[in-house]
DNA sequence: TATTAGATTATAATCTTTATAATTAGTGTA
DNA sequence: TACACTAATTATAAAGATTATAATCTAATA
């Protein structure tokens, strides 16, 4: 089924007229299989073995392209670097204040907030983001 | 009333045992009166006139201290630098995709999302953030 | 007013991300 | 399959934001 998602994503790339290079394929595949939400550098390091000559710029370029097409989302939290996430299903994130772990959780999309914001501000709303913060199970246990 | 908020904030600083230096006072005052959500650099530039010798590091240090005390929030959006906001009332932000303008809008706090996330993930929830994105009035008008 | 710990300054270093120019390589077509 | 065209990659440098360091200064307290 991960295979299926990869094939779909590649079809989307083709439809957009974007070339499918080995590096681009690898970045996409890595993101699709990632259980976490890696930074650009983490992706770079993970693919270094397979592509010893790959440039960091290539990772950034591909992430930008994948973002423009809508296959990938960029998440910015308080820390120094952005994280990237395959844009698959409707879910939000909960983030541990202590260790930084990011866990998905599903919740119906907050359409009501969007429409209210639209009315009040006069904006033409496109989307929203929501993150919940707290302390994860592990970090609660190892309190002292 | 802005005076009132400033006095309250300074009391909070004193209670926390944090020294009230002229620079710190100025950063806090600037943030309290700011209608927008400035970056560290914008704060630095705004106070340059009053404190010609002030270092950028001082702005960052003070923002960190104010954040730790809970007087200030750090907002990270897609763009390169963080924005800072006095932590006053319950409100969310809507951000223009085109020009980057940030406008406040009020909405009851999404407590339900927090409690659901808590149940599903086992996290001990502390807070959440929500931003809505779209195109502001001006940017809608100057479409072409 | 003197003391002292904390704050500021000046500077450099670090880290993330973007820009540039030259080279390489996908992809559609003959 | 080979060619041509253009986008993608590489290598490198540059930019920009933030943090670290050490010396100097100063707010708060007795």
């Amino acid at each position: 089924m991960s295979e299926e998602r990869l094939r779909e994503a590649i079809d989307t790339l083709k439809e957009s007229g974007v070339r499918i290079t080995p590096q681009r394929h690898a970045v996409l595949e890595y993101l699709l299989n990632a259980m976490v939400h890696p930074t650009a550098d983490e992706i770079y390091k993970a693919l270094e073995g397979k592509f010893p000559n790959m440039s960091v710029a290539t990772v950034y370029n591909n992430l930008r392209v994948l973002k423009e097409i809508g296959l990938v989302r960029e998440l910015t939290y308080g820390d120094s670097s952005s994280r990237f996430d395959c844009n698959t299903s409707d879910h939000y994130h909960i983030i541990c204040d202590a260790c930084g772990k990011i866990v998905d959780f599903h919740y119906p999309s907050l359409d009501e907030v969007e429409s209210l914001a639209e009315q009040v501000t006069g904006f033409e709303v496109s989307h929203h983001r929501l993150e919940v913060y707290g302390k994860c199970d592990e970090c609660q246990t190892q309190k002292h």
Side-chain angles (χ1 to χ4, degrees), chain A residues 13-38:
Chain A
L13 282 181
K14 281 184 184 163
E15 281 162 27
S16 308
V18 172
R19 288 188 189 165
I20 297 154
T21 67
Q23 294 90 334
R24 184 164 291 160
H25 189 280
V27 169
L28 184 58
E29 188 178 17
Y30 182 79
L31 269 176
L32 273 169
N33 293 325
M35 288 294 94
V36 295
H37 307 288

Side-chain angles (χ1 to χ4, degrees), chain A residues 18-129:
Chain A
V18 172
R19 288 188 189 165
I20 297 154
T21 67
Q23 294 90 334
R24 184 164 291 160
H25 189 280
V27 169
L28 184 58
E29 188 178 17
Y30 182 79
L31 269 176
L32 273 169
N33 293 325
M35 288 294 94
V36 295
H37 307 288
T39 63
D41 195 59
E42 282 165 3
I43 299 171
Y44 173 66
K45 286 200 167 49
L47 301 179
E48 235 178 359
K50 210 186 278 183
F51 301 93
N53 292 324
M54 186 169 60
S55 166
V56 198
T58 299
V59 176
Y60 278 102
N61 286 339
N62 283 320
L63 289 171
R64 181 176 35 74
V65 169
L66 296 173
K67 239 171 55 187
E68 283 166 6
I69 297 177
L71 285 174
V72 164
R73 270 192 307 170
E74 181 174 359
L75 312 169
T76 61
Y77 305 113
D79 55 348
S80 48
S81 43
S82 291
R83 297 177 168 279
F84 297 88
D85 181 23
C86 265
N87 214 355
T88 51
S89 64
D90 253 12
H91 69 266
Y92 297 108
H93 295 122
I94 184 163
I95 301 153
C96 181
D97 289 324
C99 72
K101 183 166 59 188
I102 301 172
V103 175
D104 298 346
F105 75 94
H106 290 263
Y107 193 85
S109 189
L110 297 163
D111 300 328
E112 193 193 311
V113 179
E114 286 198 357
S115 55
L116 180 128
E118 204 157 55
Q119 285 168 37
V120 172
T121 63
F123 273 54
E124 184 184 305
V125 170
S126 62
H127 66 290
H128 69 268
R129 62 175 275 187

